[in-house]
């Protein structure tokens, strides 16, 4: 029977029983497909990925570049100049419009491609069973018939017919718009049903919120329901960020302002009795001069370069605005496990009420021993609590140990992996455990529940027909369910809670992660699952078997990164589900808690937080650095409290329940390796290495991006203001125009590309992480920068006016005098560019060659200036003429003088700043 090929033929699969589906898909419900089958089906059905949206064609995209008020002004100017018979001018202006469109098109395409590339870095992984083995594969490699395992936090990787479910709830809002999760089952449905009602199907792109399940792939890639929607809608992409939107608004206001000023210039000229055509040309010159044509492109490019730099440092930006926000981060709230620590767990000790045991060997290789207090290998038969603790840790466990090319790895949760390995070291390997304790039911682990429980048939029981519940989880939580502990004779005795908590606190105080294990034999014959296998069955009945303590060393880079954040005025707060002792110890090791500071209020637990009222809560949150045993809902409250206090918060998260906090935070940061798909979906940034140091690096890059944008704006505005004012002055004083519209366009276009854009490549300034974060409401241009912009504008106006008049007085022709003025503008801008490389430090201190793009740009610009001055064809087009060496000398002198003034201004302001 042929297997399914299109959604129309998969549509009926929900009406079949699981058995019929298995037959239809020619697969095995337990062992999955064979590798051979998977290869064949891949060749036949292709990758499980959506085709990239074709988007608009190049012509439409170029046409889109013209939709800008500033461009309308230029087109109008070109049309009017043509009507006035100034064909060359008109052609130049049209040329500029075209170049602008092409450059805009190329930039947009590149930026989009870069973002697209980044998206593919955050690959979705799927867990499948092939050839009877559980494996993690990229979701693109799934084929119809694959047996997929789902658990809370996963994104469904393809359309699946469910064949097994445990309390499986799926958020299908991506597909159906329904925001409340739906519960799933695996029974056949009668008759035709709409997608939203197919309870035995899980659709690609939807998110598992609770429970677990297994399903068979029925459709992949474009054949899925998501693929269908994708085809209909196309992927809408946007490069907009709050900053670009703000700038777009700014340029609209600017356009209106410029038009008003141009009209005013025209009116004044005409009233003064000047030639109408000439005045008109002047008004147009003013309009094109005052428009900062390069600004939108520079912003997009600077952001895109920032994104690429962050990606190189392993932080993938999922939403462009995050680049801006990152630079202003004032608080980083971070997980402990896996972010500040390595998430490479090894059980090093087991505590039981009867004694302590040490476990030797590091890592996931099951090589080592369990020693008793006399350093002898512990015999499990004489230590029943130890035996049941190890069995509990290994059987109440969803992780898998695999050996690959001689290296042992764990697929699944590292905490569970560590417990598997510990049991294996005592001879209780996965095979032994599975035979002795076949599992019948599961209460899965969740951060709220803080424990996991499983029900097993107990082949080791006296009549080998008993059942046993095994539990592992957070010490306080498991202990709250226990009434007994297992004593040296293997008999339940009343538990001594004080002794257990003291032992846990002592182990946690050493920075060890501590989990409790417990058991409960239940009456009933093998294979019979009690109907009430839930928390009620466990409550106050469990028998504590022991505590397992594991090391999870801090990441090597964590202390340095925490110190760097502190130096940068950014508060770092650890928010963890772990024990307060473990959290405090690790916080001390990475420098989050200063030993010399009073500890009062620096460490808070979830229980303490819950007891605080609104105002107290906010104050306590501000003061504390470590939050232990915190629930995901409290994370959301923490972010909101910090935001109410005016903070820009970056918050990490990995679980399903972290999604609301990630969305709420200014920057939601998800873990690329250990995080769930739900968390990645909600995040603005994904760390491909889960490392805290990467967040610090991303903040540093974010600051660099913001700096570079400010530098570009501070650099470009004086040219525009200067040009506008020179024209205005000429009209008001009834003098000849020192620069013509086409020349202005030359200056604006060439300097923006050759000079201004080079600032986007500017390396981050030294000390970027030793200054306090930018205030969230600080404008791009501070008052002192605005003052500098006006200073440079005035220098340009005064310098070019004086030079122009001087040249004329020396007997130069109008084209010669104008050429001198154009070269002056460019040279002052080129010198000023070096000053703009740092907003506060002197240009000399930066090192001339630290941004080699700048040298390339300046050289290119100078070649251009020689061309426009000396190449006859260019002279014709731009109304320029060759100028003398003396004129160059005057240009150079004025440019140097202007630079000195700027340098002095910078120095004086720096003095004030101190
Ligand atoms: P962080 O929030 O820094 O990632 P965490 O892993 O300790 O730390 P949670 O995942 O919320 O946070 O876990 C809370 C507690 O539940 C843990 O401290 C541990 O005691 C217990 N726990 C963690 N994983 C499991 C598991 N797989 N099974 C049973 N209990 C677990």
């Amino acid at each position: 029977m042929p297997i399914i090929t299109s959604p129309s033929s998969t549509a009926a699969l929900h009406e079949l029983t699981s058995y019929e589906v298995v037959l239809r898909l020619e697969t095995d419900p337990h062992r999955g497909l064979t590798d051979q089958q998977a290869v064949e089906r891949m060749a036949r059905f292709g990758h499980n990925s959506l085709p990239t949206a074709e988007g608009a064609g190049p012509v439409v995209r170029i046409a889109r570049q013209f939709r800008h008020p500033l461009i309308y002004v230029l087109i109008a100017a070109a049309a009017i100049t043509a009507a006035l018979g100034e064909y060359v001018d008109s052609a130049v202006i049209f040329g500029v419009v075209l170049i602008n469109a092409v450059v805009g098109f190329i930039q947009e395409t590149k930026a989009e491609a870069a973002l697209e590339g980044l998206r593919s870095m955050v690959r979705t992984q799927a867990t499948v069973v092939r050839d009877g083995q559980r494996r993690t594969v990229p979701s693109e490699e799934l084929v119809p018939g694959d047996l997929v395992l789902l658990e809370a936090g996963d994104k469904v990787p393809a359309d699946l017919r469910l064949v097994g479910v445990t309390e499986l709830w799926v958020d299908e809002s991506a597909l159906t718009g329904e925001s409340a999760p739906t519960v799933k089952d695996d029974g056949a449905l009668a008759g035709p049903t709409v997608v939203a009602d197919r309870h035995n199907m899980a659709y690609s792109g939807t998110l598992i919120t609770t429970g677990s399940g297994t399903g068979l792939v029925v459709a992949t890639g474009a054949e899925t329901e998501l693929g269908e929607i994708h085809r209909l809608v196309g992927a809408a992409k946007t490069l907009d960020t709050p900053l670009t939107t703000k700038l777009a608004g700014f340029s609209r206001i600017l356009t209106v302002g410029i038009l008003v000023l141009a009209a005013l210039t025209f009116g004044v000229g005409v009233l003064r009795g000047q030639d109408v055509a000439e005045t008109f040309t002047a008004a147009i010159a003013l309009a094109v001069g005052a428009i900062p044509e390069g600004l939108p492109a520079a912003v997009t490019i600077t952001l895109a370069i920032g994104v690429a730099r962050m990606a190189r440092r392993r932080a993938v930006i999922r939403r462009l605005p995050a680049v801006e926000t990152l630079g202003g981060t004032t608080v980083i709230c971070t997980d402990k496990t896996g972010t500040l620590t390595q998430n490479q767990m090894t059980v090093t000790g087991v505590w039981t009420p009867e004694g302590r045991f040490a476990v030797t060997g590091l890592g996931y290789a099951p090589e080592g021993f369990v020693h008793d207090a006399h350093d002898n290998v512990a015999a499990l038969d004489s230590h029943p609590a130890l035996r049941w603790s190890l069995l509990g840790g290994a059987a109440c466990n969803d992780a898998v140990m695999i050996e690959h090319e001689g290296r042992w790895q764990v697929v699944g949760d590292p905490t569970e992996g560590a417990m598997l390995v510990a049991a294996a070291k005592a001879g209780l390997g996965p095979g032994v455990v599975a035979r002795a304790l076949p599992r019948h039911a599961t209460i899965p682990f969740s951060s709220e529940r803080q424990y996991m429980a499983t029900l097993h048939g107990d082949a080791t029981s006296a009549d080998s027909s008993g059942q046993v519940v095994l539990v592992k989880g957070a010490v306080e939580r498991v202990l709250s369910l226990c009434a007994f502990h297992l004593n040296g004779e293997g008999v339940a005795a009343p538990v001594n809670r004080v002794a257990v908590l003291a032992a846990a606190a002592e182990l946690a105080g050493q920075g060890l992660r501590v989990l409790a294990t417990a058991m409960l034999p239940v009456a009933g014959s093998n294979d019979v699952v009690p109907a009430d296998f839930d928390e009620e069955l466990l409550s106050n009945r469990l028998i504590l078997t022991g505590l397992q303590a594991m090391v999870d060393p801090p990441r090597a880079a964590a202390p340095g990164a925490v110190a760097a954040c502190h130096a940068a005025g950014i508060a770092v707060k650890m928010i963890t589900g772990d024990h307060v002792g473990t959290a405090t110890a690790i916080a001390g090791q990475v420098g989050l808690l200063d030993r010399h500071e009073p500890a009062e209020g620096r460490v808070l637990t979830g229980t303490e937080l819950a007891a605080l009222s609104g105002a107290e809560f906010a104050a306590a949150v501000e003061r504390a650095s470590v939050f232990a045993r915190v629930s995901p809902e409290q994370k959301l409250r923490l972010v909101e409290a910090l935001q109410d206090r005016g903070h820009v918060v970056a918050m990490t998260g990995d679980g399903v329940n972290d999604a609301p906090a990630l969305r709420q935070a200014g920057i939601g940061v998800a873990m690329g390796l250990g995080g769930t798909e739900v968390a990645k979906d909600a995040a603005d940034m994904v760390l491909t290495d889960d490392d805290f140091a990467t967040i610090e690096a991303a903040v540093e890059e974010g600051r660099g991006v913001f700096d570079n944008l400010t530098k570009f704006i501070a650099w470009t505005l004086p040219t525009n203001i200067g040009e506008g004012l020179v024209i205005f002055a000429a009209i008001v004083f009834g003098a000849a125009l020192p620069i013509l519209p086409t020349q202005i366009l030359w200056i604006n276009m060439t300097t923006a590309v050759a000079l201004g854009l080079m600032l986007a490549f500017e390396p981050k300034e030294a000390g970027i992480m030793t200054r306090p974060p930018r205030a969230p409401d600080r404008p791009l241009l501070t008052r002192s920068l605005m003052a500098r912009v006006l200073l440079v504008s005035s220098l340009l106006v005064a310098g070019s006016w004086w030079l122009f008049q001087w040249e004329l007085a020396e007997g130069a022709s109008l084209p010669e005098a104008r050429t001198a003025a154009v070269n002056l503008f460019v040279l002052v801008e080129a010198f000023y560019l070096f000053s703009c490389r740092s907003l506060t430090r002197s240009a000399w201190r930066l090192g001339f060659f630290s941004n080699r793009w700048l040298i390339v740009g300046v050289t290119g610009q100078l070649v251009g200036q020689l061309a426009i001055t000396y190449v006859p064809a260019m002279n014709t087009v731009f109304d320029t003429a060759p100028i003398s060496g003396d004129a160059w000398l005057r240009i150079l002198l004025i440019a140097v003088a202007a630079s000195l003034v700027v340098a002095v201004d910078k120095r004086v302001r720096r003095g004030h700043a101190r």
Side-chain angles (χ1 to χ4, degrees):
M1 200 179 301
I3 57 174
I4 291 88
T5 53
S6 74
S8 48
S9 52
T10 61
L13 279 182
H14 55 271
E15 294 171 25
L16 305 180
T17 63
S18 315
Y19 178 69
E20 288 165 329
V21 174
V22 168
L23 289 184
R24 270 285 275 284
L25 293 170
E26 295 171 11
T27 184
D28 183 313
H30 304 293
R31 299 184 55 80
L33 296 175
T34 61
D35 280 330
Q36 180 63 25
Q37 277 176 312
V39 170
E40 283 164 16
R41 293 187 188 192
M42 174 61 78
R44 193 161 143 209
F45 296 100
H47 279 103
N48 174 34
S49 53
L50 294 178
T52 40
E54 279 179 18
V59 179
V60 178
R61 291 164 60 115
I62 289 198
R64 262 207 308 245
Q65 308 295 326
F66 293 99
R67 281 201 314 231
H68 201 282
L70 300 178
I71 301 293
Y72 299 154
V73 176
L74 286 181
I75 293 176
I80 295 168
T81 13
L84 293 174
E86 303 281 349
Y87 299 116
V88 178
D89 284 11
S90 174
V92 169
I93 301 181
F94 261 130
V96 166
V97 171
L98 271 182
I99 292 174
N100 227 332
V102 172
V103 171
F105 166 76
I106 296 173
Q107 274 154 4
E108 203 180 286
T109 315
K110 266 194 176 166
E112 274 173 6
L115 283 181
E116 197 54 47
L118 291 182
R119 263 177 226 135
S120 66
M121 280 173 73
V122 191
R123 283 260 172 84
T124 309
Q125 302 280 342
T127 312
V128 291
V129 177
R130 280 194 191 153
D131 267 338
Q133 278 181 340
R134 183 176 150 145
R135 294 183 204 163
T136 308
V137 299
S139 63
E140 288 91 59
E141 292 180 13
L142 292 187
V143 291
D146 256 329
L147 180 62
V148 176
L149 308 183
L150 299 169
E151 60 179 82
D154 287 351
K155 191 187 237 172
V156 178
D159 283 1
L160 307 176
R161 167 67 163 84
L162 296 167
V163 292
V165 293
T166 312
E167 260 191 68
L168 187 70
W169 290 78
V170 183
D171 171 356
E172 296 189 318
S173 52
L175 209 61
T176 61
E178 170 59 54
S179 58
T182 19
V183 67
K184 295 288 179 183
D185 55 47
D186 52 9
L189 288 169
T193 30
V194 292
V195 168
D197 292 337
R198 293 187 195 151
H199 298 310
N200 57 10
M201 299 285 291
Y203 289 100
S204 180
T206 59
L207 302 164
I208 310 289
T209 55
T210 342
S212 56
T214 44
L216 293 169
V217 175
V218 296
T220 57
E223 302 300 330
T224 59
E225 291 291 334
L226 185 73
E228 182 71 6
I229 294 182
H230 192 77
R231 208 168 22 241
L232 296 177
V233 184
K237 280 181 239 145
T238 169
L239 293 174
D240 290 345
T241 77
L243 186 69
T244 53
T245 323
K246 227 189 272 172
L247 282 173
F250 169 71
S251 64
R252 265 195 298 278
I253 297 170
L254 197 70
T255 313
V256 175
I258 289 166
L259 288 178
V260 170
L261 197 66
L264 196 72
T265 314
F266 183 65
V268 171
V270 173
L271 282 183
R272 289 183 57 113
Q274 286 167 12
D275 179 58
V276 174
E278 212 168 89
T279 320
F280 208 90
T281 319
I284 289 175
L286 189 143
V288 296
I291 296 173
E293 286 95 348
L295 195 54
V299 173
T300 317
I301 292 187
T302 312
L303 290 177
I305 291 178
V307 170
R309 281 185 180 168
M310 288 181 191
R312 244 177 275 141
R313 298 181 76 172
R314 305 202 187 81
V316 176
I317 299 294
R318 294 189 69 245
R319 289 187 248 288
L320 208 51
V323 185
E324 292 159 33
T325 325
L326 263 170
T329 306
T330 59
V331 179
I332 301 177
C333 296
T334 172
D335 278 344
K336 170 181 70 71
T337 314
T339 315
L340 289 168
T341 66
Q342 298 178 7
N343 213 4
Q344 301 268 327
M345 313 263 180
T346 313
V347 174
T348 54
V350 181
W351 177 93
T352 71
E354 301 302 319
R356 287 167 188 254
F357 301 88
V359 185
T360 59
L362 263 187
Y364 293 129
E367 290 152 10
F369 299 96
V370 180
H371 290 281
D372 62 16
H374 309 291
D375 233 4
N376 299 320
V377 172
L380 294 185
D381 287 342
S382 25
H383 300 290
L386 171 68
R387 176 164 168 273
W388 275 106
S389 180
L390 292 173
L391 273 175
C396 176
N397 195 315
D398 285 331
V400 181
M401 290 163 61
I402 47 170
E403 192 183 8
H404 183 65
E405 290 172 0
R407 280 195 54 211
W408 283 90
Q409 292 168 343
V410 160
V411 180
D413 180 0
T415 304
E416 298 197 338
M419 295 177 105
L420 271 188
V421 174
K425 286 174 183 171
L428 301 172
V432 177
V433 174
R435 274 192 299 281
L437 299 165
R439 195 197 295 188
H440 298 317
T442 308
I443 301 178
F445 169 75
S446 77
S447 286
E448 285 86 22
R449 199 178 279 134
Q450 292 190 352
Y451 70 84
M452 170 176 176
T454 44
L455 176 74
H456 303 259
D458 182 5
T460 64
S461 64
D463 59 358
S464 77
S465 68
Q467 293 196 100
V468 62
V469 174
L470 296 172
V471 177
K472 73 175 195 314
V475 181
E476 305 92 305
R477 191 72 182 88
V478 173
L479 194 58
S480 75
L481 299 171
C482 289
F484 310 100
H485 77 248
L486 205 59
N487 71 11
E489 281 76 52
V491 178
V495 66
N496 178 348
R497 290 175 200 281
V498 178
V500 177
L501 288 175
E506 191 212 318
L507 292 165
Q510 299 163 27
L512 298 168
R513 183 173 172 84
V514 188
L515 267 82
T517 50
M519 63 162 323
L520 174 66
V522 271
S525 66
N526 214 341
D527 276 340
V528 177
V529 179
D532 55 351
F533 181 54
D534 55 16
E535 187 156 329
E536 222 157 289
L537 172 78
L538 314 179
S539 203
N540 217 18
R541 291 177 65 190
L542 288 185
I543 305 165
L544 184 90
T545 50
L547 305 178
Q548 295 196 20
M550 45 194 95
V551 284
D552 179 18
R555 284 177 179 271
V562 169
C565 286
H566 285 163
I570 300 169
V572 181
K573 298 181 188 291
M574 174 202 280
I575 302 185
T576 175
D578 212 341
H579 190 280
V580 62
T582 317
T584 311
I586 299 286
Q589 289 170 19
V590 299
L592 266 180
L593 289 175
D594 188 347
R595 258 171 281 135
H596 308 297
E597 235 189 307
E600 180 76 27
R602 303 277 287 138
V603 180
L604 286 177
T605 62
T607 324
E608 285 164 342
L609 278 179
L612 294 175
S613 68
E616 289 168 337
F617 184 86
V621 166
E622 181 90 53
R623 164 141 182 77
S625 293
V626 176
F627 300 85
R629 289 286 193 240
V630 169
S631 69
E633 300 87 72
Q634 286 180 321
K635 273 193 176 183
L636 181 61
R637 233 183 120 199
L638 279 168
V639 180
E640 286 170 341
L642 288 167
Q643 285 175 329
D644 282 348
R645 301 203 129 211
H647 283 294
V648 176
V649 185
M651 159 75 88
T652 68
D654 45 17
V656 187
N657 302 318
D658 291 335
L662 292 181
R663 275 200 205 101
Q664 175 66 31
I667 319 259
V669 185
M671 302 300 139
L673 301 176
T676 58
E677 294 301 322
V678 176
K680 286 184 213 167
D681 235 54
D684 302 290
M685 179 166 99
V686 176
L687 308 180
T688 57
D689 58 358
D690 293 8
D691 192 343
F692 176 78
T694 305
I695 310 179
E696 185 261 322
V699 169
E700 192 179 328
E701 294 297 342
R703 288 186 171 196
V705 166
F706 210 85
D707 271 7
N708 285 355
L709 282 175
T710 313
K711 289 171 192 174
F712 181 82
I713 294 174
W715 172 81
T716 190
L717 285 184
T719 324
N720 303 107
I721 299 176
E723 288 162 344
L725 286 183
V726 161
I727 307 282
F728 191 65
I731 296 294
V732 170
F733 294 120
L737 294 185
I739 32 177
L740 296 174
T742 46
Q743 296 166 346
I744 285 180
L745 283 177
W746 165 269
I747 299 175
N748 290 1
M749 293 303 294
T750 57
T751 58
V753 176
L755 304 183
L757 271 189
M758 302 308 150
L759 287 175
F761 298 98
E762 196 55 40
K764 290 175 298 294
E765 285 188 44
I768 198 165
M769 287 300 269
T770 52
R771 60 183 196 215
R774 161 172 59 89
D777 52 357
R778 204 187 80 178
L780 259 178
L781 285 190
T782 55
R783 236 183 242 194
S784 85
L785 260 188
M786 204 59 217
R788 187 170 309 150
V789 164
L790 291 179
L791 173 73
V792 179
S793 311
S794 326
L795 289 171
L796 275 171
V797 175
S800 60
W801 187 266
W802 179 81
L803 178 71
F804 180 68
Q805 301 302 341
W806 177 283
E807 296 299 321
L808 287 182
E810 289 280 297
S813 66
L814 259 183
E816 284 169 349
R818 283 181 177 143
T819 310
V822 168
N823 281 320
L824 178 72
F825 258 94
V826 171
L827 217 63
V828 171
E829 279 290 282
F831 282 180
Y832 179 46
L833 184 69
F834 284 90
S835 161
C836 283
R837 292 184 59 199
S838 167
L839 298 170
T840 48
R841 281 149 43 100
S842 120
W844 302 113
R845 288 173 166 257
L846 294 176
F848 200 62
F849 295 103
S850 51
N851 177 358
R852 56 201 163 82
W853 286 107
L854 218 66
I855 309 297
V856 175
V858 171
T859 313
Q861 183 72 44
L862 290 182
V863 172
Q865 290 315 115
L866 291 178
I868 196 176
T869 311
Y870 296 106
V871 174
M874 302 266 290
N875 291 159
T876 317
V877 173
F878 289 98
D879 275 323
T880 48
I883 55 172
S884 65
D886 281 358
W888 277 114
L889 205 62
R890 282 188 285 276
I891 293 170
L892 198 64
L893 277 178
I894 298 176
V896 169
S899 308
L900 286 178
V901 174
V902 176
V904 169
D905 170 71
K906 215 177 192 181
R907 203 177 173 103
V908 170
R909 281 181 201 282
R910 202 165 53 231
H912 284 318
R914 274 198 194 118

